[in-house]
Amino acid sequence: MAAQGELATWVREAVASVRVTDMHTHLFPPSFSALQVSGADNVLTYHYLIAEAMRVGQMPPTEFWDLPTPLQADWIWEQLFEKTTPLSEAALGVVQIAQAFAVDLRREKLAGLRAKLEATATDVYANHVLDLAGVDSVVMTNDPFDEIERRYWEQGTPRNPRFHAALRLDVLLNDWPRAQAQLSHSGYHVGPELGEVDMAEVRRFLKDWVAKIKPVYFAFSAPDTFAFPEDSVRGRLLAEAILPICREQRLPLALMIGVRRQVNPSLRSAGDSTAKASMLPIEALARRYPDNKFLVTFLSREDQHELAVTARKFGNIMPFGCWWFLNTETLVSEISNLRLELIGPTFVIQHSDARVLEHVIYKWRRARKVATDVLTHKYQQLQDAGWDLTREDVERDVKQLFSQNFWDFVKR
Ligand code: FIX
Ligand code: ZN
């Protein structure tokens, strides 16, 4: 039996050294150069920080968007690091990124960060940043309807093997007129009616993209009003094209539910919000399609308990991460505790959602800190109940939560 101090050390060391799989990000490898995002100005103009800076500075959004990126970064710096103290999760994150690069942000300011971070990443730099974060590999968000991205895949652009693909189907499921036009343009014979023949063409399109990018899962985000089954384009595409191809290819479908896009369109990328969604569609999907696998995350705090309960009922549901507005110290701690209490260590503890390469540094540092606290507390209770915990148990659980559960589910 470990002494209290020894137990805390086991957990701290296991969590600090675990090689993470970051199973949902918006990162691209350096070879996708037009899409790859890194460097100080991009760190500062993260949409999380734009929303926060607007509260301080009250600049009309149109004026902000007209500024070139370095001036936007300067303005955000002034609002969040000079006029106020960087106490928010995202602002503190910038300070932690700076610290990882040995920049004393208070003294050296934004210029110090600009000098150390690389705005055009090489593979050496990308590997260095991932190593700083202890991230073994990341999963991208790959949109087959994005013109620029499509070109990289069609040219067979080689990529750093630490970047895995995920086929993102938001346009297909949330904007059918645009998807239909693009599919037709790319040689898939899809009419607006979506009859049997059209559906077969959608399936052909999905299979072609599986062959092209070899995704580890399909994904889409949906609003709080998401319903299933539903006699709608989305409902039919899911039932008749996406789920059958996922089954055939043994790929999970990741559902990210509860985002209210553009509640304030003037904020553009910073203008999305959240609302409580229903668990019924997830229940229906898991029950009707036992041979499909569902990675599931919800954006509202209010949905977290129901999600954990639903995961108890269906082994083909894998809850993952604390998404976006939930990725705060308070909520990650609450949600991770809740999940451990209801489903044990059988979920994916976190994903970073990094949009800028260097984000992985602060997002994983935070995730590790919270996981260490939560797990130490749980293991202590277990030991107090007389369970003879070993260091190997701790290492196995940590590896499962930060990486293995995801891969086992993908490969199941
Ligand atoms: O839909 C998503 O994958 C979201 O994560 C993004 O759209 C969002 O802008 C984001 O970056 C959240 O962290
Ligand atoms: Zn995301």
Side-chain angles (χ1 to χ4, degrees), residues 24 26 256 323 353:
H24 169 59
H26 297 265
M256 307 172 65
W323 182 22
D353 235 308

Side-chain angles (χ1 to χ4, degrees), residues 227-337:
F228 188 89
E230 189 182 59
D231 186 17
S232 64
V233 168
R234 189 200 275 137
R236 292 194 48 220
L237 282 167
L238 268 172
E240 295 169 43
I242 293 168
L243 292 168
I245 298 299
C246 282
R247 277 195 300 277
E248 181 190 296
Q249 305 285 329
R250 304 169 75 90
L251 290 170
L253 174 62
L255 296 107
M256 307 172 65
I257 312 289
V259 50
R260 300 193 61 234
R261 299 276 178 202
Q262 298 297 282
V263 300
N264 184 351
S266 71
L267 290 185
R268 300 191 189 174
S269 56
D272 299 342
S273 190
T274 175
K276 183 179 170 3
S278 167
M279 201 58 52
L280 297 180
I282 301 299
E283 223 178 75
L285 283 163
R287 188 177 50 239
R288 282 174 180 236
Y289 302 102
D291 296 331
N292 278 93
K293 304 177 278 184
F294 302 97
L295 290 154
V296 183
T297 202
F298 276 79
L299 192 50
S300 90
R301 179 190 190 182
E302 288 69 24
D303 279 310
Q304 303 308 318
H305 180 246
E306 271 178 83
L307 174 59
V309 172
T310 307
R312 292 171 66 88
K313 309 296 143 194
F314 299 100
N316 58 344
I317 290 180
M318 174 63 77
F320 75 91
C322 299
W323 182 22
W324 202 340
F325 313 111
L326 298 175
N327 192 355
T328 69
E329 192 178 22
T330 317
L331 295 177
V332 175
S333 172
E334 175 181 295
I335 294 165
S336 301
N337 265 307

Side-chain angles (χ1 to χ4, degrees), residues 21-159:
T21 298
D22 193 345
M23 56 76 65
H24 169 59
T25 75
H26 297 265
L27 301 178
F28 287 92
S31 55
F32 285 46
S33 49
L35 299 170
Q36 191 281 325
V37 179
S38 62
D41 287 341
N42 288 316
V43 165
L44 262 290
T45 53
Y46 190 21
H47 66 67
Y48 290 29
L49 295 173
I50 293 172
E52 293 170 26
M54 288 288 178
R55 297 185 52 75
V56 181
Q58 306 290 333
M59 181 190 279
T62 45
E63 233 174 84
F64 174 82
W65 294 115
D66 280 345
L67 295 173
T69 306
L71 293 186
Q72 290 179 347
D74 285 340
W75 184 76
I76 290 173
W77 172 264
E78 186 190 333
Q79 311 316 312
L80 298 181
F81 298 85
E82 287 181 353
K83 287 201 217 156
T84 54
T85 301
L87 286 170
S88 78
E89 205 75 15
L92 171 60
V94 179
V95 182
Q96 290 176 328
I97 291 171
Q99 188 178 47
F101 281 87
V103 176
D104 175 349
L105 203 54
R106 188 92 211 240
R107 208 169 42 80
E108 300 177 54
K109 306 190 187 306
L110 185 47
L113 202 60
R114 281 178 171 141
K116 288 279 178 66
L117 273 48
E118 291 184 16
T120 310
T122 57
D123 271 326
V124 172
Y125 181 72
N127 286 334
H128 173 61
V129 173
L130 295 180
D131 289 341
L132 276 176
V135 171
D136 185 57
S137 64
V138 303
V139 181
M140 304 177 272
T141 296
N142 302 108
D143 180 1
F145 295 95
D146 182 276
E147 188 97 24
I148 298 169
E149 175 159 8
R150 232 182 19 235
R151 256 181 266 141
Y152 284 107
W153 292 110
E154 276 159 5
Q155 288 161 7
T157 311
R159 67 174 195 273

